[in-house]
Amino acid sequence: MARARRNKSYRLSGIYDRRSREAPFNADLAEVEVDNPLALDAGEKIVAVRSVRGDPLGRLHAHHQIDEAQYRGGRAFQTDWERAERGPQAVDPTREYVDGTRSREPVTEGQRQAVLRLNHVERELGTDGAALVHDVLVLGLTMDQIGERRAVRTQRWNDYFARRFRECLDRLALVYGFATEREARRAQRSR
């Protein structure tokens, strides 16, 4: 004879941890708070894990070495650089092959605006600051690698590059509108 079922509540009583328990041996992970894509109410957040292994800006932000305005300024610079870059492009197999030459695609308005912002950023940062920001944010180099490229390999130079990079991030936050002059001065005094 079959046993009678008891009434169970199907109401979710707890929050479930969906994070992976296993990570690769060389992983560099950080927890971030993001908008919940499955949320019923606007503004709900969940904790997600992201890899910061190849992302120097994300690593600095995850370890609380830079603030939110500096992080967003750096991301805005990276976005402008990607938008303005016109590097090698993949061949489109859906287009008809004629003679192997490709016509140049016109420069879009978004690309033009990104180049103008990057030119303004370079004027604000100066030649050395723009090169340092490019090395870290575009090429993904560490301070040790930047020192090796410039033939200075001491810890003092690494500290200088790190301090100068934070100053450049402050300037990027001002240029892109994520911070004000007063906030930048207050941040400088607190260091």
Side-chain angles (χ1 to χ4, degrees), residues 147-185:
E148 287 177 16
R149 287 183 78 183
R150 297 180 184 197
V152 288
R153 295 185 177 100
T154 62
Q155 183 61 41
R156 190 169 186 162
W157 276 105
N158 289 346
D159 294 342
Y160 167 74
F161 290 137
R163 189 171 51 253
R164 179 73 174 108
F165 179 65
R166 277 193 218 97
E167 290 172 2
C168 291
L169 286 177
D170 282 336
R171 195 44 118 176
L172 285 175
L174 288 173
V175 167
Y176 285 107
F178 297 116
T180 62
E181 277 294 333
R182 185 185 308 167
E183 291 172 354
R185 275 187 260 128

Side-chain angles (χ1 to χ4, degrees), residues 121-146:
V121 163
E122 188 171 355
R123 281 193 306 273
E124 286 286 326
L125 297 178
T127 306
D128 188 47
L132 181 63
V133 166
H134 179 270
D135 286 347
V136 175
L137 296 182
V138 176
L139 300 178
L141 300 179
T142 63
M143 298 306 155
D144 291 331
Q145 292 169 333
I146 291 170

Side-chain angles (χ1 to χ4, degrees), residues 52-86:
V52 293
R53 182 171 159 212
D55 182 16
L57 191 65
R59 184 181 302 114
L60 290 171
H61 187 253
H63 293 295
H64 304 290
Q65 294 175 350
I66 60 174
D67 62 3
E68 186 68 25
Q70 291 171 325
Y71 175 74
R72 292 179 66 187
R75 285 291 186 232
F77 177 84
Q78 287 176 328
T79 302
D80 278 347
W81 182 266
E82 290 170 1
R83 194 172 288 152
E85 186 178 57
R86 302 217 19 148

